[in-house]
Amino acid sequence: MGKRTIPLTALKAGETATVVSIDAVFCKGCGKRWGFEKRLMDMGLTPGTKVTVVKSAPFHGPVEILVRGSRLALGRGIADRILVEVED
Amino acid sequence: MAEKRLRIALAGNTNVGKSVIFNYLTGLHQHIGNWPGKTVEKAEGTLHFKGYTIDIIDLPGIYSLSTYSIEEQISREYITVEKPDVVINVVDASVLERNLYFTLQLMGLNVPLVLALNQVDMAKKKGIEIDVEKLEKLLGIPVVPTVAIKGIGIFKLLERAVEIAEKRETPKMVVKFGKEVEDGIAKLVKMLEGVHCRYPPRYVAIRLLEGDEELEKEIERLNPEVVATAKKISKELEELHGHSCSTVIMAERYEIAGRIAREVQKLSSSTKPRLEERLHNLTTHKIAGYVIMILSLLAIFYSIFTAGGYLSEFLNELFYITEPLFYELFGTGAIGNLMWSVMEGVIAGITIALPYIVPFYIVLYFLEDSGYLSRIAFLMGNIMHKIGLHGKAIIPLILGYGCNVPACLGCRIMETERERLLAVFVTTLVPCAARTVIILGLVGKYLGIEYALALYIFNLAIIFALGRLAFKVLPGEPTALIMEMHDYRWPHLKTVLKQTWFRLLEFIKIAFPLIILGSFTIKLIEVFGLLEPIALALSPVTVTWLGLPLITGIALIFGVLRKELTLIMLATLFGTTNFAEVPGFGPIQMIVFTIVTMFYIPCISTIAALIKEIGWKKALIITIFEILFAITIGGIAYRILIQIFALGH
Ligand SMILES: Nc1nc2c(ncn2[C@@H]2O[C@H](COP(=O)(O)OP(=O)(O)OP(=O)(O)O)[C@@H](O)[C@H]2O)c(=O)[nH]1
Ligand SMILES: [Mg+2]
């Protein structure tokens, strides 16, 4: 039984995984950190937290997740940068 | 004797019920609804309690002291810099862990703190029961369970807050992190001993380790060594933990919040999904969600149109009974004429504007308080991306259908300046309630509901096209959507009706004096024989290019004040509210007139809001652009409509 690290968006609807890390993104052009990884953690997505993917909106829309008892909608762009660990 | 004054601030995550508590305490009417980010500016109100004059401050929702958007900065500024006598930390009992995370941050600020454990009714419904005494003991601050919407617990909350303020009792509990982090904090606190700073040293130390850039700058000026050391410690901690120092701190803080939450919560999980849950799943479903969205929008449109039509008809009949009465009162001379013309304006305001505005707001507030708006934002994420915005931008846009002014302010929930500008721009194109009056009251009433619907769809298409265009002018990636979707709830009827009522009062207070003044001015201009010259000066645009009756030029000028004035003044100018009997004002003219009013300029209050939000230069550009655009599109529409109507006959 191995563990795999995959982006949150690779989870199927209804699957639960553990947050490993969130990649920072730098704004194109200005080079400044957007800081959304910090915001996500402030909203509960710290490493080690269990997160459940509920569904994604069609046409590459936002992803709905459950974390620490709250329901969040995340843009796909950032959901892609949340790395989670699943057990095979 | 000096007046005993206290300042109490309400702070906490978004959508926890701060504004409900504020309204309850002060009797004021802050915007309430079930979606995150309604309050974007701090609001103040006063009340008298136990010999104190208390200023209550309602703050925008905030998830963390590491702020992310303007409205959060406002909250943080207020709490950390202006230091109220007490902070009432309002928390949502059904999402305790996440809410306590912010509470733990607040504790580090050394301000007297009281916890309002709000929405215990919602928590109970979800099967969450909280041991208040235990929570009080663990946190070391007073905890008062409340159901704000029913006023339960609010009196006690205020009592405890005043008590704490009198004792100036700051939280005793120190949020303890892991050993390595604590060592780092201790080192920094020691260095900060001699530094005179407006924040407590431990708070500064933690914030520096969390990488607070603003605070870094401030401390840099006082003692650059501290900042350098903080950076060094962060580096070391990062190497040790394999995560950035801020991540470590946030994770440890959440661990504490989680531990406390688990200790005080009793969960009784139900087996079958609750109704709210099923409704959520249905309304965000990849197919059903869109079907429901379109159907409900159509239903809303149809019901407002129908209800408005009935009301309008009814009021009309009621008012025209007074006509002979009026002439009798003032005679049919010059004075009687003048008075009647003012009366005509007022009647038009009552019979044309009110009938649509009232049902409209009832529906909008109902929708808002249910929680549906954040679901629409979820569904529309992709489409909003096409105009360079993320899904949350749809919320101010929808509010724009009510009034563009609060909608423009609401664009503060967008995180970057570029997105705020884009969102503000598209918001001004949304037909507000005033423009709805014209679409429904003129086109809908005289040409049929399908024409009105077509105009709304046309408007959406234009919004999308111009949004795309603006996106091309201001390129850049949209920032990411991060939005909480709060549970559905049955809208609180009293809140819905109250908010509608205040909207109505506001409308009456602002619009009617303007209507009276406007009608008066028109009569005066007419008496001095200036009506023709002014209308003639505008005629190359109004008559030649747009194909409208000469006199509409005057009405359009008044529309700058408020959009519904265009139609109301038109009634005064034509001397009737039955537009079907006006010669030269046929279907084509009605449609063109409505299209022009829809776009031609943001009204004066919106322009003021624009100046406030994006500066006068950009406001001016948007205003001029919209004038030119409306004239262009109106003229084109006129020429196309002539062809279409010719084909039909
Ligand atoms: N059931 C229930 N609903 C509540 C209670 N308190 C507030 N609400 C509802 O919660 C929602 C949010 O309330 P607001 O007062 O607008 O929240 P806020 O904290 O001011 O939110 P922001 O200004 O967006 O940060 C509204 O729909 C209220 O009707 C409560 O005790 N019980
Ligand atoms: Mg509020």
Side-chain angles (χ1 to χ4, degrees), chain A residues 38 42 55 59 64 68 73, chain B residues 97 101 210 284 382 483:
Chain A
K38 219 171 183 173
D42 271 330
K55 67 167 87 67
F59 319 113
E64 177 191 340
R68 295 186 195 268
Chain B
E97 183 177 359
Y101 176 83
E210 279 189 90
T284 53
N382 178 265
M483 176 185 67

Side-chain angles (χ1 to χ4, degrees), chain A residues 20-21 28 32-47 54-78, chain B residues 63-64 66-68 72 94-95 97-98 101 105 126 210-212 243 246-247 250-251 254 277 280-281 284-286 290 375 378 381-382 416 477-485 487:
Chain A
V20 175
S21 64
K28 273 182 203 147
K32 245 176 56 186
R33 225 169 211 258
W34 259 339
F36 73 76
E37 70 282 359
K38 219 171 183 173
R39 170 41 43 119
L40 287 175
M41 286 190 234
D42 271 330
M43 292 184 82
L45 284 155
T46 52
V54 181
K55 67 167 87 67
S56 336
F59 319 113
H60 275 257
V63 182
E64 177 191 340
I65 63 165
L66 291 178
V67 62
R68 295 186 195 268
S70 72
R71 191 190 296 280
L72 302 182
L74 303 180
R76 188 159 285 264
I78 50 167
Chain B
Y63 283 109
S64 158
S66 315
T67 53
Y68 195 61
E72 283 196 326
S94 65
V95 198
E97 183 177 359
R98 220 263 326 285
Y101 176 83
Q105 285 192 321
K126 262 172 119 173
E210 279 189 90
D212 184 329
H243 283 296
S246 58
T247 305
M250 286 187 275
Y254 252 115
E277 200 101 354
H280 168 83
N281 288 335
T284 53
H285 186 266
K286 61 178 183 251
Y290 291 94
R375 275 73 186 182
F378 178 77
N382 178 265
T416 62
E477 256 178 277
T479 48
L481 169 74
I482 305 177
M483 176 185 67
E484 196 175 352
M485 287 193 279
D487 280 351

Side-chain angles (χ1 to χ4, degrees), chain B residues 122-137:
Chain B
M122 287 294 279
K124 202 176 223 163
K125 259 212 216 149
K126 262 172 119 173
I128 302 171
E129 202 115 18
I130 291 165
D131 185 338
V132 176
E133 265 169 51
K134 203 166 185 186
L135 184 59
E136 209 160 48
K137 217 184 278 148

Side-chain angles (χ1 to χ4, degrees), chain B residues 394-451:
Chain B
I394 195 95
I395 295 180
L397 219 65
I398 293 174
L399 297 183
Y401 281 92
C403 174
N404 285 182
V405 175
C408 282
L409 299 184
C411 290
R412 288 187 189 174
I413 59 172
M414 306 308 291
E415 291 86 358
T416 62
E417 208 178 302
R418 179 188 145 273
E419 276 171 297
R420 263 194 307 281
L421 184 58
L422 280 176
V424 161
F425 171 61
V426 289
T427 300
T428 62
L429 298 168
V430 172
C432 58
R435 283 171 262 184
T436 289
V437 165
I438 297 158
I439 300 172
L440 296 184
L442 185 65
V443 172
K445 186 165 174 190
Y446 296 104
L447 304 182
I449 185 169
E450 63 280 9
Y451 285 86

Side-chain angles (χ1 to χ4, degrees), chain B residues 13-20 31-39 58-61 118-122 146-149 369 489 492 495:
Chain B
N13 289 178
T14 58
N15 210 48
V16 292
K18 300 177 293 297
S19 297
V20 172
H31 185 173
I32 291 167
N34 186 15
W35 53 275
K38 297 159 298 282
T39 308
D58 185 22
L59 294 171
N118 194 33
Q119 306 204 22
V120 281
D121 57 330
M122 287 294 279
T146 56
V147 181
I149 209 79
D369 211 32
R489 55 183 116 217
H492 191 244
T495 306

Side-chain angles (χ1 to χ4, degrees), chain B residues 332-530:
Chain B
T332 42
I335 304 259
N337 250 331
L338 184 68
M339 290 316 274
W340 178 244
S341 126
V342 169
M343 198 56 196
E344 190 98 49
V346 173
I347 291 175
I350 294 172
T351 59
I352 302 174
L354 289 188
Y356 295 103
I357 287 178
V358 173
F360 181 86
Y361 273 111
I362 290 181
V363 172
L364 186 68
Y365 286 128
F366 195 84
L367 219 58
E368 250 192 72
D369 211 32
S370 70
Y372 191 40
L373 295 194
S374 53
R375 275 73 186 182
I376 294 183
F378 178 77
L379 291 176
M380 297 294 281
N382 178 265
I383 293 171
M384 296 308 285
H385 258 221
K386 296 248 182 324
I387 57 174
L389 293 167
H390 62 58
K392 216 165 29 173
I394 195 95
I395 295 180
L397 219 65
I398 293 174
L399 297 183
Y401 281 92
C403 174
N404 285 182
V405 175
C408 282
L409 299 184
C411 290
R412 288 187 189 174
I413 59 172
M414 306 308 291
E415 291 86 358
T416 62
E417 208 178 302
R418 179 188 145 273
E419 276 171 297
R420 263 194 307 281
L421 184 58
L422 280 176
V424 161
F425 171 61
V426 289
T427 300
T428 62
L429 298 168
V430 172
C432 58
R435 283 171 262 184
T436 289
V437 165
I438 297 158
I439 300 172
L440 296 184
L442 185 65
V443 172
K445 186 165 174 190
Y446 296 104
L447 304 182
I449 185 169
E450 63 280 9
Y451 285 86
L453 185 61
L455 277 182
Y456 276 106
I457 293 169
F458 174 68
N459 175 269
L460 279 178
I462 294 285
I463 289 177
F464 187 74
L466 288 184
R468 275 299 280 184
L469 188 74
F471 181 30
K472 288 273 140 60
V473 177
L474 289 169
E477 256 178 277
T479 48
L481 169 74
I482 305 177
M483 176 185 67
E484 196 175 352
M485 287 193 279
H486 296 88
D487 280 351
Y488 272 122
R489 55 183 116 217
W490 185 245
H492 191 244
L493 206 60
K494 221 168 110 194
T495 306
V496 171
L497 293 179
K498 233 181 176 167
Q499 305 214 83
T500 308
W501 173 242
F502 286 119
R503 270 284 162 183
L504 186 65
L505 280 186
E506 213 176 303
F507 175 78
I508 291 172
K509 266 193 277 189
I510 299 173
F512 279 89
L514 277 180
I515 291 173
I516 293 171
L517 217 67
S519 310
F520 226 77
T521 315
I522 285 185
K523 261 287 165 251
L524 276 183
I525 296 175
E526 196 184 344
V527 169
F528 286 108
L530 289 171

